[in-house]
Amino acid sequence: TWLCRTFSPRGVIGCFMSHQNFWASVIERGDEVAIVLEDDAYLEPGFAANCKARIDELTAHDPDWDVCLLGAMGCAHPKGEHGFNMLFAQYMRGMRRRREISEGIYVPRRPAGTHAYAVSAKGARALARMCPKAAFHIDLHAWSSAHRDLRLYACHPFLAYQTFTDSTIGGDEPGRSKGLGLIDEHCRQPWSHALNEPMFKLGSFIMTPAKHQALMCAATASILYTRSPVVAGGAASLLGSCWALVQCMNRPVSVREPASVPAVGYAAAVAAEAPISAGEPSPAAAAEFAMPPSPPPLEPAAA
């Protein structure tokens, strides 16, 4: 989307499009179930056998499932013990009603993270239809309850965790927050990761949760010190603008809009459930990027 191109770091856009390409490959190959493992995913012992068992368990309870999170962050505790993550959920919105499906399967409240998940063939088509354009962080966008038709589940216990090292999505380095410990023991997410993820960028400046909290503290101190309605109004406008920008970037995208490159062909195709392969471009794209015809071979010169 225009907002994503303008206000998201390139790493956020690239991550979104990588998952789009994966969904496209699942559709093209006709896989019944596929598993996404990002390069910073850490697998628990017995991952393969436990993963098959959880997918079989989920299929027995809901044959039409779309996505099963094998690992997650955010409000993803099976018993609802979310702690500070509830502040994130309240800010981002898009919460689901948490409920337990079986001993090892549940519906998470407001999960984040795409480092490990299983997707069915139906789920790949649904995700491609619901996320035709890079809009925001792929996990916060795709797992939002705004996509009410997505049958999203998570397994318990988690089978994979994120290492939170060498992130390329464009956030700040952990810096002083590196030694703060874990924000959530269940998800094993450190404060350094939660505080330094990119929210949006303005030129070379990247807004992160840590900077946003510092801005809130500075605004509050200014209001208490000056007791000026002008200062209060300016601080409220600034913080409200940050929140509104994040909400606008993370809003659902209409599938009637042109899809982002390279998902030009398949996003519209899966929306209409047309039998088009994932790599097939639209006629307009094919004409735009067509290579010029090769020149005819030269005739040998006469002796």
Side-chain angles (χ1 to χ4, degrees), residues 11-49:
V12 172
I13 301 174
C15 182
F16 199 114
M17 295 173 67
S18 295
H19 285 271
Q20 282 183 316
N21 287 338
F22 180 83
W23 305 332
S25 67
V26 173
I27 297 168
E28 184 177 24
R29 294 194 306 262
D31 297 332
E32 293 185 5
V33 177
I35 295 175
V36 176
L37 295 173
E38 293 182 345
D39 57 357
D40 58 351
Y42 170 80
L43 307 184
E44 290 287 275
F47 173 84

Side-chain angles (χ1 to χ4, degrees), residues 8 33 55 116 129 134 152 167 171 177 298:
S8 287
V33 177
I55 291 176
R129 182 179 68 252
L152 175 70
S167 175
S177 61
L298 296 177

